[in-house]
Amino acid sequence: MAGFLDRAKQQAQQGLAQGKQKIDEVQAQRAGSDLLKKLGAAYYAERQGTGSPQATQQALQAVEAHIATNGDSFLRS
């Protein structure tokens, strides 16, 4: 009986770890998408004359930092 409980506990821990990993991936995807929206808004504002090149550059740097940390998979979704 103890062997069964040990296996069940191990499987539950693996399931929790996989679930946490998936949540982290989804959160990184959302954060990347938000950064892309901000970059697009900054670029649009700059082109319309209401934004600045500095704001666009900062938004671009934020996207690049996110890619360096989390990869670029959010660009393909």
Side-chain angles (χ1 to χ4, degrees):
M1 184 72 168
F4 172 76
L5 292 177
D6 289 339
R7 285 193 307 270
K9 181 180 175 183
Q10 182 183 13
Q11 287 178 346
Q13 288 173 340
Q14 287 175 344
L16 287 172
Q18 289 173 346
K20 183 179 178 339
Q21 180 181 5
K22 184 63 177 172
I23 288 172
D24 290 344
E25 289 172 7
V26 169
Q27 287 175 338
Q29 291 278 340
R30 287 182 181 167
S33 294
D34 289 344
L35 290 172
L36 282 178
K37 287 178 187 177
K38 289 178 183 178
L39 175 59
Y43 178 77
Y44 181 79
E46 181 184 348
R47 297 293 291 173
Q48 294 299 312
T50 59
S52 68
Q54 293 82 12
T56 304
Q57 186 62 33
Q58 287 175 343
L60 178 59
Q61 288 171 346
V63 170
E64 290 172 341
H66 182 78
I67 290 171
T69 303
N70 300 295
D72 65 352
S73 62
F74 71 98
L75 295 172
R76 292 183 220 98
S77 57

